[in-house]
Amino acid sequence: STHQVDEVQHILTDVMFLNRGKLVLSRSMESIDEQFVQLNVVGDAVARAQGIPHLGSQSILGGKSIIYDGIDRESLAPLGELRTPSISDLFVAMMGGDD
């Protein structure tokens, strides 16, 4: 158990998020890489990217960083830069602490 996820993310095999005593996520790190994707999008593509159902977003210079659950990476690729979200970013998106 930790609140300093960035310090231990590289050794995790499984992740669980609790919110007010309720389990909101329980996944292997491998399945997180497969299920969640973060899109960094700028310019005119921001509005299109935000129109796709997503967990949450954060402002970045000139655009948004948006986290999706179960959306095909190929469909997002034309909109911007894709990566697997960090556990910290995923936590913020799932707990509603973003834009």
Side-chain angles (χ1 to χ4, degrees):
S1 173
T2 185
H3 288 99
Q4 304 300 323
V5 177
D6 292 334
E7 295 177 8
V8 298
Q9 181 169 339
H10 65 285
I11 62 171
L12 297 176
T13 58
D14 295 274
V15 175
M16 292 173 50
F17 293 162
L18 300 173
N19 188 5
R20 298 180 184 178
K22 293 185 180 181
L23 184 65
V24 294
L25 177 77
S26 180
R27 298 266 194 281
S28 70
M29 284 297 289
E30 184 177 293
S31 71
I32 285 176
D33 290 345
E34 295 168 0
Q35 183 171 351
F36 299 99
V37 61
Q38 184 169 350
L39 170 67
N40 292 337
V41 59
V42 296
D44 296 337
V46 171
R48 286 194 347 227
Q50 286 184 305
I52 300 168
H54 56 279
L55 293 175
S57 64
Q58 296 182 50
S59 294
I60 58 172
L61 186 61
K64 293 282 186 177
S65 181
I66 305 171
I67 297 178
Y68 300 91
D69 178 0
I71 301 292
D72 180 49
R73 287 177 182 257
E74 288 181 24
S75 67
L76 297 174
L79 299 174
E81 175 189 348
L82 299 178
R83 67 184 195 107
T84 300
S86 71
I87 298 302
S88 307
D89 290 340
L90 184 57
F91 178 83
V92 170
M94 292 192 81
M95 299 305 157
D98 52 354
D99 290 351

